[in-house]
Amino acid sequence: MLGNLKRCIVIEVHSSNRIEVSPIGVVHRQGPDEDINDRSLVSKIVIDEEYADGLPGIEDWSHLHVIFWMDRISEEKKTLLCRGNEPDMPTVGIFATRAPVRPNPIGLTLVELVRREGNVFVVKGLDALDGTPVLDVKPYPYWVKGSWIVVTKYRVPAYLRKINK
Amino acid sequence: MLGNLKRCIVIEVHSSNRIEVSPIGVVHRQGPDEDINDRSLVSKIVIDEEYADGLPGIEDWSHLHVIFWMDRISEEKKTLLCRGNEPDMPTVGIFATRAPVRPNPIGLTLVELVRREGNVFVVKGLDALDGTPVLDVKPYPYWVKGSWIVVTKYRVPAYLRKINK
């Protein structure tokens, strides 16, 4: 899909504030029929050669936050209101959900780093489709002033407390 | 800084894969001299009116992941190798760090939602500068197949184990 953008000339009026980002790599999956929500499945992140020098040391971390661009979300699918799939789920604002049909279809998933093979990460638990552009990879957890930031006490909506544990 | 992009006409050749994102809001801080790494400080995220319908329900969550664009990072500052500020820190790849001087200066911070006032979030712990464009806001934690994804067992580099607790 992104291939369409290659080597074309774009003339446009920036009527609002926009930002340009370049993917640093791409997701490779075993097959198109995989259940991306199966967190036991392994997939690969292939980092572009031009960014490979940014990788050494990442194998000292067991977990990574992967930030990706959900490029199969068309403009028509995007919405500001969303209702969950389960029965009795209310309609809420898109920013109160993780639904991909959001204004900027940015994905964020915490994965386990199985191993690094050169410029390829083998990861477990990534819920991104085959071919998804990756924008950034960050180690987990992060730290501020000598403390790891790991939040284990949190409040969630009642309608989700009923279906998750 | 982004103001420069407003209403200008851009003619460019897309020589590589790029993605355009539009900020959904902006960070407001009390003052320019605040220590953004002081997680007890409160700041505001002002969501653009056009995205305000995406907000209802977010107040049912105590914590949010904020994804923002660190727009003070110039092209010249970006790097693929980074050394920590503390003594005895090794030089590692940028993706093994949270340093902002990365190829795509995307910030990711887990904050506490203090309250929502219409299209304004009051949050605690956001380490973004005043005026920073916000790209997305997601509730924490997320869930897959009936389970909350909260990782409390992880491995980190030895050089960070010494300085963080």
Side-chain angles (χ1 to χ4, degrees):
Chain A
M1 309 191 96
L2 275 165
N4 296 339
L5 286 177
K6 270 188 182 171
R7 286 155 206 259
C8 59
I9 294 175
V10 177
I11 304 176
E12 64 185 283
V13 178
H14 281 269
S15 60
S16 60
N17 293 334
R18 299 200 201 182
I19 288 163
E20 285 208 358
V21 301
S22 296
I24 61 164
V26 67
V27 174
H28 284 203
R29 302 200 72 102
Q30 306 266 0
D33 298 329
E34 276 190 347
D35 175 6
I36 63 169
N37 290 317
D38 181 343
R39 281 186 62 88
S40 73
L41 291 183
V42 160
S43 54
K44 289 180 179 175
I45 299 173
V46 180
I47 301 292
D48 290 357
E49 286 294 343
E50 66 178 300
Y51 300 114
D53 286 347
L55 301 179
I58 207 160
E59 57 277 3
D60 288 340
W61 300 84
S62 62
H63 288 78
L64 305 173
H65 266 129
V66 181
I67 298 175
F68 50 98
W69 185 260
M70 296 179 282
D71 64 343
R72 271 19 90 82
I73 304 298
S74 64
E75 284 300 318
E76 302 77 55
K77 285 184 194 163
K78 292 180 183 176
T79 180
L80 291 176
L81 287 171
C82 186
R83 200 185 150 282
N85 295 323
E86 311 282 334
D88 306 323
M89 295 275 268
T91 295
V92 296
I94 192 74
F95 299 117
T97 80
R98 288 266 176 167
V101 289
R102 49 209 306 121
N104 289 316
I106 296 173
L108 168 66
T109 301
L110 185 57
V111 303
E112 187 183 335
L113 177 61
V114 178
R115 62 183 179 275
R116 175 167 80 91
E117 298 166 350
N119 66 322
V120 177
F121 296 154
V122 178
V123 299
K124 191 184 277 188
L126 182 58
D127 55 346
L129 297 170
D130 187 53
T132 298
V134 174
L135 307 183
D136 201 3
V137 172
K138 297 178 191 289
Y140 170 91
Y142 70 109
W143 62 97
V144 176
K145 294 180 184 289
S147 294
W148 299 107
I149 308 297
V150 178
V151 171
T152 56
K153 290 184 181 173
Y154 48 80
R155 184 168 46 82
V156 301
Y159 61 87
L160 285 172
R161 274 201 304 271
K162 285 191 290 190
I163 60 169
N164 292 326
K165 59 177 178 288
Chain B
M1 309 190 93
L2 276 165
N4 296 339
L5 287 178
K6 269 188 182 170
R7 286 154 209 262
C8 59
I9 293 174
V10 178
I11 304 176
E12 64 186 284
V13 178
H14 282 269
S15 59
S16 59
N17 293 335
R18 299 199 202 182
I19 288 163
E20 285 209 357
V21 300
S22 297
I24 61 164
V26 66
V27 174
H28 284 201
R29 300 200 73 101
Q30 306 267 0
D33 299 328
E34 276 189 347
D35 175 7
I36 63 168
N37 289 317
D38 182 343
R39 281 187 61 88
S40 72
L41 291 183
V42 160
S43 54
K44 290 180 179 174
I45 299 173
V46 180
I47 301 292
D48 291 357
E49 286 295 342
E50 65 179 300
Y51 299 114
D53 286 346
L55 302 180
I58 208 159
E59 56 278 2
D60 288 339
W61 298 84
S62 62
H63 289 78
L64 305 173
H65 266 129
V66 182
I67 298 175
F68 50 98
W69 185 259
M70 296 180 282
D71 63 344
R72 271 19 90 82
I73 304 298
S74 64
E75 284 299 318
E76 303 77 56
K77 285 185 195 163
K78 292 180 183 177
T79 180
L80 290 176
L81 288 170
C82 185
R83 200 186 148 282
N85 296 322
E86 310 282 333
D88 305 323
M89 296 273 267
T91 295
V92 295
I94 193 74
F95 299 117
T97 80
R98 287 267 178 167
V101 289
R102 50 209 307 120
N104 290 315
I106 297 173
L108 169 65
T109 301
L110 185 57
V111 302
E112 187 184 335
L113 177 60
V114 179
R115 62 181 179 278
R116 176 167 79 92
E117 298 166 349
N119 66 323
V120 177
F121 297 154
V122 177
V123 299
K124 191 184 278 189
L126 182 58
D127 55 347
L129 297 170
D130 187 53
T132 297
V134 174
L135 307 183
D136 201 2
V137 172
K138 297 178 191 290
Y140 170 90
Y142 69 109
W143 63 98
V144 176
K145 295 182 184 288
S147 294
W148 298 107
I149 308 297
V150 178
V151 171
T152 56
K153 291 182 182 175
Y154 47 81
R155 183 169 46 82
V156 302
Y159 61 86
L160 285 171
R161 274 201 304 273
K162 285 192 290 192
I163 61 169
N164 292 324
K165 59 177 179 286

